Amino acid sequence: MASLLPRRALLKTAGSATAALAAVALSLTACSTGPASSGNQNASAAADSAQFPVTIKNVFGETTIKEQPRRVVTISWVNDDIALALGVVPVGVPKNEWGNNSKGSTPWKDAALDKLGASFGSDKAPVQFSEADGVNFTEIAKLNPDVILAAYSGLEAADYKKLSEIAPVVAQPELAYGTPWQEATTIIGKALGKTAEAGKLVADTESAIKAEAAKYPQIAGKTFIYGNLEPAKGDGVNVYLASDNRPRFLSEIGMKAAPVVEEKSKGSKEFFTAWSAEKANELASDVFVTWVPDAKTKEQIVKDPLLGQIPAVKKGALVADSDNTLTLAISASSPLSLPWALEKFLPQLAAGADAAAK
């Protein structure tokens, strides 16, 4: 269905507060993928190098990285955000081809690159390559990487094997596109010799998110369903489950998954479950969150004879945003994207919570 974009595609779904939160993810000492220049940087680099070799488990086995990587390549989403948040500029990153800007990037990635002196278009910028047709083995090989970061990805065994012939691959630990941003940050921190920095980044980002969410107390404790709705179709409802980043994020800011989400998530390794529109009235929650292609679609959902019976929709507690970049920021959660998203997303959630309370 059109509105349930493939997981690989949506995933293929700023003011002072944003600046302050984004600073958290960039507050760590920046370093390039080349040699350090100052005395303090040299000491730091030596400490980082002392952490190697490291062995990291993944869904396909184990990867050993013998020395601190100097040439880092990332695939999928999230991994490049995390490397940048840890002060490492990759030599190559995938283009953002959904929710992107004119640079094939995102606002939060651009801000991080700018702070690290490696903006796209500059001499120090990462090379960008397309993943529209899957893993771009040819372009990755050309970059001669020391490590390939894919802690958040949907690599298959054949992809992993082929990439491993190029460089050590840090693949997803378990579920395809199911790695929480905190775990991905910890894994990538270990791979880059920045374990302590990764721990601090996770803690600081979580604290910043909670502090911003606390400004909207009406959100706390409200039940939610995060899904996709397509008017006038019998298969027009999909509900994201607990292994997906979208419901994870709502839980992290103090909301509670609706009973149907909890029930369908038990024992499931899927990131969503299909739901018949004929039973839409059974999707009980305080707030229903969805992505829509335009404002007109939200109006169609409200007026739809089946989808309009969803309790949250009937109460006016439908949070339906058509900003692809904002949706990407939540779907492909990272220590850079989440702080950027809060200023736009939390007021919408608060409005939904207010409507639910009436």
Side-chain angles (χ1 to χ4, degrees):
M1 60 189 295
S3 60
L4 180 67
L5 301 170
R7 188 159 195 163
R8 182 69 185 88
L10 176 64
L11 223 166
K12 208 176 179 181
T13 57
S16 58
T18 297
L21 286 164
V24 171
L26 294 168
S27 62
L28 303 174
T29 301
C31 73
S32 69
T33 51
S37 56
S38 71
N40 288 338
Q41 287 174 327
N42 283 329
S44 176
D48 293 343
S49 297
Q51 298 179 38
F52 292 87
V54 297
T55 298
I56 301 173
K57 293 181 180 181
N58 62 60
V59 69
F60 307 112
E62 294 182 341
T63 295
T64 297
I65 305 170
K66 295 180 180 179
E67 299 178 344
Q68 184 176 21
R70 298 295 178 184
R71 295 184 62 80
V72 176
V73 169
T74 69
I75 68 171
S76 186
W77 294 285
V78 179
N79 305 293
D80 51 357
D81 285 2
I82 293 172
L84 291 171
L86 290 171
V88 174
V89 179
V91 294
V93 299
K95 293 179 181 177
N96 285 87
E97 301 186 73
W98 194 90
N100 56 295
N101 58 25
S102 61
K103 298 178 183 178
S105 181
T106 60
W108 54 90
K109 191 186 305 182
D110 289 343
L113 284 167
D114 184 58
K115 283 183 177 290
L116 294 170
S119 300
F120 286 124
S122 71
D123 293 340
K124 295 183 179 180
V127 171
Q128 291 176 290
F129 50 86
S130 174
E131 290 186 325
D133 296 321
V135 179
N136 198 326
F137 301 101
T138 301
E139 294 303 316
I140 292 171
K142 287 180 182 178
L143 292 166
N144 191 29
D146 297 324
V147 70
I148 300 168
L149 301 181
Y152 177 87
S153 72
L155 282 182
E156 297 181 356
D159 299 328
Y160 176 76
K161 183 178 180 180
K162 191 170 182 179
L163 283 172
S164 296
E165 295 172 358
I166 301 172
V169 182
V170 180
Q172 71 269 23
E174 188 175 0
L175 298 179
Y177 301 107
T179 312
W181 68 266
Q182 295 95 330
E183 185 177 6
T185 300
T186 300
I187 291 170
I188 289 174
K190 183 176 181 179
L192 298 178
K194 295 184 174 293
T195 298
E197 293 94 326
K200 185 176 187 303
L201 177 60
V202 169
D204 288 352
T205 304
E206 287 181 333
S207 294
I209 290 170
K210 289 177 181 177
E212 193 66 16
K215 297 177 182 178
Y216 302 92
Q218 63 270 56
I219 293 173
K222 290 293 189 295
T223 59
F224 71 84
I225 295 174
Y226 203 136
N228 272 317
L229 301 175
E230 186 158 331
K233 285 199 173 183
D235 61 348
V237 183
N238 286 286
V239 174
Y240 294 116
L241 302 180
S243 65
D244 188 83
N245 278 329
R246 286 156 278 208
R248 276 190 189 131
F249 174 68
L250 295 183
S251 295
E252 287 171 6
I253 61 172
M255 300 183 75
K256 295 182 179 180
V260 65
V261 177
E262 292 185 336
E263 179 62 29
K264 293 293 183 179
S265 296
K266 290 177 181 177
S268 176
K269 292 187 177 182
E270 299 297 325
F271 75 99
F272 81 98
T273 186
W275 191 273
S276 171
E278 295 178 354
K279 298 193 298 179
N281 63 311
E282 298 177 19
L283 290 171
S285 65
D286 293 321
V287 177
F288 196 108
V289 185
T290 189
W291 171 84
V292 291
D294 48 46
K296 181 181 178 180
T297 302
K298 181 177 180 179
E299 296 173 5
Q300 291 174 337
I301 291 170
V302 173
K303 295 177 180 178
D304 187 89
L306 297 178
L307 302 184
Q309 297 305 306
I310 295 173
V313 175
K314 290 181 71 174
K315 290 205 70 173
L318 172 65
V319 177
D321 190 85
S322 59
D323 183 336
N324 291 2
T325 303
L326 178 58
T327 299
L328 178 66
I330 303 297
S331 303
S333 303
S334 80
L336 294 182
S337 72
L338 290 178
W340 178 89
L342 294 180
E343 192 172 82
K344 292 185 176 183
F345 192 53
L346 290 181
Q348 295 185 53
L349 283 177
D354 288 339
K358 291 179 180 177

